[in-house]
Amino acid sequence: MPVTMDTLVSLSKRRGFIFQSSEIYGGIGSCWDYGPLGVELKQNIKRIWWRDYIQRRPDMVGLDASIIMHPTVWKASGHVDNFTDPMVDCLECRHRFRADKVDEMPWVHYCAATKGNKFTIPAGEACSHCGERRTQCPDCGKGRLTAPRQFNLMFKTFMGPVEEDAALTYLRPETAQGIFVNFDNVAQSMRRKLPFGIGQIGKAFRNEITPGNFIFRTREFEQMEIEYFVNPRDTVEGKPADEYWHERWIADSLAWFQRYGLRAENLRLREHEKDELAHYAKRTADIEYYFPIGWSELMGIANRTDFDLKQHAKFSGKALTYFDEERKEHVVPYVIEPSAGVDRALLAFLADAYQEEEVRGEKRVVLRFHPELAPVKVAVLPLLKKREDIVRTAHTVRDTLARHWAVVYDDTAAIGRLYRRQDEVGTPYCVTVDVQTVGDSDKGESADGKVTIRDRDSMEQARVPIDALSTVFLDLLNGGAWSAVASKYPAAKA
Ligand code: ATP
């Protein structure tokens, strides 16, 4: 059974991943705050993306452009004229909907065949009593909807102390344009040869008409975008370079999500139909994920041709070309754009990691995060919090491990409860300090200097010397198998 959105929302709040923004004031539509564990998870996603795509690749560099840009950027990019969604209003309850999404919502119906009884009918279906399809407002079931009107999704703001049209600017609705306008700066300063890419992670803002579904569609969100510039005159493996690199980026992106835990059966590729393609795009493919709301876009990978660089050259009067030494000619590069949402990626990783299982007659909730994503890597737990020597040793172990990883100390419950709590937030390993570790002089038992490590997924335990902990975790947290630890060190009782 796939996890429901309600379960994820409540786990996120209860365990400090995600809170509703401004909750004490009743919340604000579609804005969410990442709590102590959520911010770690989000940072981890961004860190591995940056490391894998920017730092490890010789053909990539990074950028951090400002959110507010020259207003002409958005004229040139087409956003002022075209970044719109069709909107309809209910004349009765004044609710506003995206015209192209109204039929994807369940709808309220007062059925004449059953004395006007009220039903909520699943999206796109007809009433099973009278056969009617939706014609009125899906929310109140009574009001007529207006004809669609275009609504621009960009947030407007004013630069400086005067609110006048000359000072009008926008919060960026995507990070991509910051890359295009810096194409020449980056190419020159970094002496880049095609093909090369520029990546950026940052906030984007869209005044979505119907936000919702938790962090899936919000008005403020984060993107991880790459613009990969290629020479359209080149061929690679018998294909035009842009088509070859488009394929490569689709395959790389799918593999990346799987590498960090998304199951293959929950991912699929959806090609944009001809009539759905943006006018400048040669081809666009979306990676869709089987979210709790059904199959929906996780990221898009578009071949944007030379549209953006040509537009910015036209509006700025600056040449945005590349000199092809071999052919002795200036070309406008084509661009492949892999564009992912940080928040949607986080939602997908959270949903895929969530599992409920039965252990000794009790429900265990576990987030099976990849170790690189887990907000906490190791939890150090004292078996008896009244024993000062156990507590002191546990703190020392935590301090040593915390030099390398996100490690917590917790003594606020009995050990079984502490394990369950760590399972529920996806901590891959727990370390328990007990009486044997420090010894018991009253009973004449000497310290063995060993602790118990517990593996989240198998719940197996091994007894490991404190001195070996850093080496053991270095291996485990870098993808090493638990079985190697289990075969080297003696098992401890569960
Ligand atoms: P959708 O069709 O869902 O509105 P889009 O096709 O407009 O998305 P893009 O412009 O391709 O989205 O943006 C790239 C990525 O940014 C998306 O794949 C998604 O992960 C993320 N994204 C876009 N809009 C939002 C939003 N309102 N909230 C959260 N993430 C978003």
Side-chain angles (χ1 to χ4, degrees):
M1 261 279 284
V3 59
T4 66
M5 200 68 104
D6 284 348
T7 304
L8 293 181
V9 173
S10 101
L11 172 84
S12 295
K13 174 166 178 176
R14 194 160 30 88
R15 305 314 315 271
F17 281 92
I18 301 167
F19 309 124
Q20 165 133 56
S21 165
S22 322
E23 194 181 350
I24 59 167
Y25 288 101
I28 172 166
S30 100
C31 296
W32 299 91
D33 295 343
Y34 288 87
L37 295 192
V39 66
E40 292 290 338
L41 176 57
K42 199 174 181 206
Q43 300 273 21
N44 289 344
I45 293 171
K46 293 192 280 184
R47 187 180 48 78
I48 58 174
W49 186 91
W50 192 264
R51 182 196 64 199
D52 293 353
Y53 287 124
I54 312 295
Q55 297 177 327
R56 287 197 174 157
R57 292 181 58 135
D59 54 347
M60 293 285 306
V61 288
L63 184 77
D64 185 11
S66 77
I67 287 175
I68 296 175
M69 303 175 71
H70 194 291
T72 312
V73 167
W74 306 110
K75 204 68 205 144
S77 67
H79 282 83
V80 170
D81 297 324
N82 302 319
F83 195 58
T84 54
D85 274 339
M87 165 185 94
V88 290
D89 290 297
C90 170
L91 293 171
E92 192 75 30
C93 71
R94 306 270 155 212
H95 234 96
R96 193 159 269 190
F97 308 93
R98 241 172 90 167
D100 55 338
K101 299 279 179 198
V102 182
D103 285 329
E104 294 173 21
M105 305 173 68
W107 56 286
V108 169
H109 172 56
Y110 293 91
C111 177
T114 59
K115 298 186 186 151
N117 278 347
K118 182 183 174 187
F119 297 102
T120 301
I121 301 183
E125 290 184 16
C127 171
S128 56
H129 304 283
C130 67
E132 231 179 80
R133 295 202 158 264
R134 188 197 61 75
T135 51
Q136 310 291 61
C137 167
D139 231 37
C140 71
K142 292 179 178 155
R144 214 160 38 81
L145 296 178
T146 60
R149 283 175 295 152
Q150 290 302 326
F151 171 76
N152 196 296
L153 299 185
M154 280 197 294
F155 275 95
K156 290 182 179 148
T157 188
F158 296 93
M159 232 8 183
V162 195
E163 284 199 16
E164 58 181 21
D165 281 355
L168 177 69
T169 53
Y170 304 92
L171 301 186
R172 68 182 176 200
E174 60 175 30
T175 61
Q177 299 303 323
I179 299 180
F180 294 126
V181 300
N182 277 298
F183 168 76
D184 205 41
N185 282 336
V186 174
Q188 297 301 333
S189 60
M190 306 308 288
R191 312 210 158 274
R192 288 284 140 173
K193 296 258 173 287
L194 292 179
F196 76 91
I198 306 175
Q200 169 162 234
I201 300 178
K203 290 260 182 177
F205 303 83
R206 295 181 188 180
N207 205 359
E208 300 275 4
I209 300 165
T210 34
N213 291 320
F214 197 24
I215 53 170
F216 179 83
R217 187 180 303 285
T218 52
R219 294 189 170 118
E220 172 182 341
F221 56 98
E222 243 176 317
Q223 291 186 311
M224 308 184 278
E225 292 198 299
I226 291 167
E227 304 302 331
Y228 196 77
F229 301 96
V230 304
N231 190 336
R233 302 282 307 274
D234 285 348
T235 49
V236 189
E237 293 180 6
K239 283 190 189 147
D242 59 315
E243 293 178 16
Y244 169 84
W245 281 106
H246 198 182
E247 286 293 343
R248 274 284 295 270
W249 276 108
I250 291 171
D252 280 3
S253 303
L254 273 169
W256 190 83
F257 281 112
Q258 287 183 44
R259 189 177 329 140
Y260 295 107
L262 298 192
R263 276 165 278 187
E265 67 263 31
N266 288 338
L267 287 165
R268 73 178 187 194
L269 201 65
R270 190 182 71 83
E271 293 284 340
H272 281 213
E273 304 287 343
K274 279 267 167 313
D275 59 350
E276 183 193 358
L277 268 184
H279 61 95
Y280 49 78
K282 185 165 154 186
R283 177 189 168 201
T284 298
D286 287 346
I287 292 183
E288 294 191 332
Y289 178 75
Y290 191 59
F291 285 98
I293 49 169
W295 287 104
S296 310
E297 176 178 334
L298 171 60
M299 76 175 288
I301 304 154
N303 180 346
R304 299 177 67 112
T305 67
D306 53 9
F307 173 80
D308 305 273
L309 290 180
K310 275 192 170 154
Q311 283 294 102
H312 288 301
K314 186 167 130 198
F315 278 74
S316 68
K318 304 276 184 317
L320 295 177
T321 53
Y322 170 85
F323 188 65
D324 181 342
E325 300 278 357
E326 216 175 289
R327 299 184 183 89
K328 301 282 178 249
E329 63 180 14
H330 289 275
V331 288
V332 181
Y334 266 35
V335 65
I336 306 301
E337 179 188 76
S339 169
V342 178
D343 313 79
R344 277 192 202 175
L346 189 146
L347 184 59
F349 283 125
L350 189 64
D352 224 300
Y354 185 92
Q355 252 170 31
E356 286 178 15
E357 47 192 45
E358 211 181 286
V359 177
R360 292 188 213 107
E362 269 184 49
K363 181 169 113 173
R364 171 170 104 122
V365 171
V366 54
L367 291 179
R368 291 184 188 267
F369 282 133
H370 186 285
E372 295 248 37
L373 290 179
V376 176
K377 311 297 183 205
V378 181
V380 183
L381 316 169
L383 193 69
L384 300 170
K385 72 170 175 182
K386 290 201 179 104
R387 281 275 303 257
E388 192 267 334
D389 48 354
I390 292 183
V391 168
R392 193 172 5 98
T393 307
H395 276 300
T396 310
V397 169
R398 193 216 77 96
D399 293 348
T400 310
L401 297 178
R403 283 192 217 137
H404 308 285
W405 302 286
V407 183
V408 297
Y409 167 91
D410 192 3
D411 65 6
T412 56
I415 194 72
R417 189 84 179 274
L418 294 179
Y419 282 155
R420 290 290 179 272
R421 266 192 214 156
Q422 296 302 329
D423 287 344
E424 218 185 355
V425 299
T427 306
Y429 304 103
C430 289
V431 166
T432 306
V433 179
D434 55 23
V435 180
Q436 286 79 23
T437 316
V438 294
D440 196 338
S441 49
D442 290 350
K443 291 188 186 157
E445 289 168 11
S446 58
D448 73 357
K450 292 179 182 166
V451 288
T452 298
I453 305 185
R454 173 184 179 269
D455 173 46
R456 175 195 70 199
D457 293 344
S458 65
M459 291 185 289
E460 286 176 12
Q461 305 189 347
R463 196 82 186 151
V464 177
I466 291 178
D467 290 349
L469 280 180
S470 293
T471 324
V472 165
F473 284 128
L474 189 65
D475 183 50
L476 285 175
L477 293 168
N478 279 323
W482 169 258
S483 54
V485 174
S487 61
K488 184 160 175 195
Y489 297 100
K493 278 203 310 297

